[in-house]
């Protein structure tokens, strides 16, 4: 997440979508006639390493050394009380609109939600989520996740679900239907990928245990692992340093780079991981 605060003369707005969020704020204010010629808002950036502080409801005191301003200020931010107060107001307004913490939720079907240590039964419809250390039983329909991170768990993702980033220690038990994961990063894990689902890029030390059906992987990079590929599944590119521990004869692997390991599937000697999985 890329956090910014846009400060106008009398108003302030926070966004977790970086430059895109800033441009959307500026466009909306321009369309409403609020921004006049010669108006120059101050854009404040929170260092990305401090993202968890932004969404934590328990912070006691804001450390303004975590922020940087794109404009010249008459006083340093850490000594500029008026600007500090406006930053706090924008942050609190953003939290009231989007942040949900330590909640048990049956259904989220629309709107944008930042989930922090939540337990959700169903995310569906056209809902958009950011997920931090949360558990989701099911994602379906056209629901989107910009980021799944921390120790988050999604038990079942299907339909036309779109997940931009599966990161850190996060895990998906089942990815199926037409669901798409654009990037797997960190040591994220997907237990089973099948149907017509698609993973565009596997990076870092991410891992897939079973690839089946018509499921597809674009590029395996970093030191990623696929334990077993079968059915009519396919992999576009297995890069140097990556491993496919077993694949059946129907699987299509278009490019195997030097330095990768790709082994045919032998059922009797097939390596079975002993990782524990939530049911």
């Amino acid at each position: 997440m890329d956090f910014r605060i846009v400060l106008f003369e009398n108003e302030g707005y926070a966004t977790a979508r970086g430059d895109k969020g800033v441009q959307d704020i500026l466009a909306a204010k321009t369309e409403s006639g609020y921004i006049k010629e010669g108006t120059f808002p101050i854009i404040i950036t929170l260092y990305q390493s401090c993202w968890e502080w932004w969404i934590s409801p328990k912070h006691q005191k804001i450390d303004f050394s975590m922020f940087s301003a794109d404009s010249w200020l008459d006083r340093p931010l850490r000594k500029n009380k008026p600007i500090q107060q406006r930053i706090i107001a924008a942050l609190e307004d953003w939290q009231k609109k989007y942040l949900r913490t330590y909640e048990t939720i049956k259904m989220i079907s629309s709107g944008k939600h930042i989930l922090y240590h939540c337990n959700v039964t169903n995310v569906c419809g056209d809902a958009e989520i950011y997920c931090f250390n949360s558990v989701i039983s099911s994602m379906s329909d056209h629901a989107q996740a910009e980021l799944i991170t921390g120790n988050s768990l999604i038990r079942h993702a299907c339909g036309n679900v779109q997940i931009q980033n599966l990161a850190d220690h996060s895990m998906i038990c089942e990815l199926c239907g037409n669901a798409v994961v654009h990037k797997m990063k960190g040591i994220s894990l997907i237990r089973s990928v099948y149907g017509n689902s698609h993973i565009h890029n596997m990076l870092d030390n991410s891992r897939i245990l079973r690839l089946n059906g018509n499921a597809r992987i674009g590029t395996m990079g970093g030191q990623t692992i696929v334990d077993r590929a079968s059915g009519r599944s396919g992999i576009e590119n297995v890069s140097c340093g990556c491993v496919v521990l077993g694949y059946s004869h129907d699987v299509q692997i278009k490019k195997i780079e030097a330095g990768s390991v790709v082994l045919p599937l032998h059922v009797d000697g097939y390596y079975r991981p002993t990782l524990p999985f939530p049911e």
Side-chain angles (χ1 to χ4, degrees):
M1 298 179 81
D2 190 355
F3 296 98
R4 310 287 175 88
I5 293 176
V6 182
L7 298 179
F8 298 100
E9 186 175 356
N10 298 309
E11 298 178 4
Y13 299 90
T15 177
R17 296 184 298 121
D19 289 337
K20 178 64 166 61
V22 170
Q23 293 306 314
D24 287 348
I25 291 169
L26 296 178
K29 301 308 289 184
T30 300
E31 186 176 340
S32 68
Y34 183 85
I35 297 180
K36 308 294 184 182
E37 186 175 350
T39 300
F40 300 101
I42 300 170
I43 299 173
I44 306 290
T45 300
L46 175 70
Y47 297 136
Q48 288 200 7
S49 60
C50 305
W51 63 264
E52 192 164 9
W53 169 88
W54 178 288
I55 63 172
S56 172
K58 295 183 178 180
H59 63 266
Q60 299 297 316
K61 184 178 179 180
I62 294 180
D63 180 0
F64 286 96
S65 66
M66 296 188 297
F67 294 86
S68 63
D70 75 331
S71 304
W72 178 86
L73 300 175
D74 58 354
R75 280 170 289 169
L77 190 56
R78 58 187 172 81
K79 297 181 179 180
N80 198 322
K81 294 296 183 183
I83 296 294
Q84 289 180 10
Q85 290 171 358
R86 294 170 65 191
I87 288 174
I88 292 170
L91 171 59
E92 290 177 344
D93 182 62
W94 179 87
Q95 288 180 332
K96 288 176 184 177
K97 287 179 180 177
Y98 303 116
L99 184 61
R100 307 185 71 167
T101 62
Y102 297 96
E103 291 186 46
T104 298
I105 305 165
K106 285 189 176 181
M107 180 182 292
I108 296 174
S109 59
S110 62
K112 182 184 297 183
H113 304 263
I114 315 294
L115 305 174
Y116 185 74
H117 290 278
C118 290
N119 195 319
V120 185
T121 301
N122 189 18
V123 177
C124 57
D126 59 357
E128 181 181 342
I129 63 169
Y130 293 76
C131 190
F132 300 86
N133 297 320
S134 295
V135 176
I136 298 172
S137 295
S138 175
M139 285 188 72
S140 59
D141 299 332
H142 290 85
Q144 298 183 53
E146 184 67 28
L147 178 64
I148 308 292
T149 192
N151 290 296
S152 294
L153 168 66
I154 299 176
R155 298 186 188 280
H156 189 77
C158 61
N160 294 295
V161 163
Q162 296 273 332
I163 297 171
Q164 294 297 326
N165 294 283
L166 183 70
D168 208 0
H169 295 77
S170 296
M171 174 180 162
I172 298 174
C173 291
E174 292 182 282
L175 187 78
C176 57
N178 295 304
V180 175
V181 174
H182 291 269
K183 288 183 182 179
M184 290 182 68
K185 301 187 290 186
I187 55 173
S188 59
L189 175 72
I190 302 180
R191 182 177 180 179
S192 182
V193 183
Y194 58 97
N196 294 301
S197 52
H198 192 174
I199 292 94
H200 286 292
N201 289 288
M202 294 180 68
L203 304 169
D204 303 327
N205 293 286
S206 57
R207 186 172 186 174
I208 292 172
L209 297 189
R210 290 189 294 274
L211 187 72
N212 204 346
N214 293 305
R216 291 286 185 270
I217 297 172
T219 298
M220 293 178 64
Q223 295 178 311
T224 55
I225 298 173
V226 172
D227 283 64
R228 177 171 182 163
S230 58
R232 295 179 299 279
S233 60
I235 302 172
E236 292 289 325
N237 184 24
V238 183
S239 302
C240 175
C242 301
V243 178
V244 178
L245 290 173
Y247 71 97
S248 64
H249 68 279
D250 289 331
V251 173
Q252 290 187 341
I253 301 179
K254 292 188 177 180
K255 183 178 180 182
I256 302 173
E257 294 185 6
S260 61
V261 176
V262 178
L263 303 174
L265 180 62
H266 299 291
V267 176
D268 291 340
Y270 170 59
Y271 166 75
R272 294 184 180 277
T274 57
L275 297 174
F277 300 107
E279 296 298 333

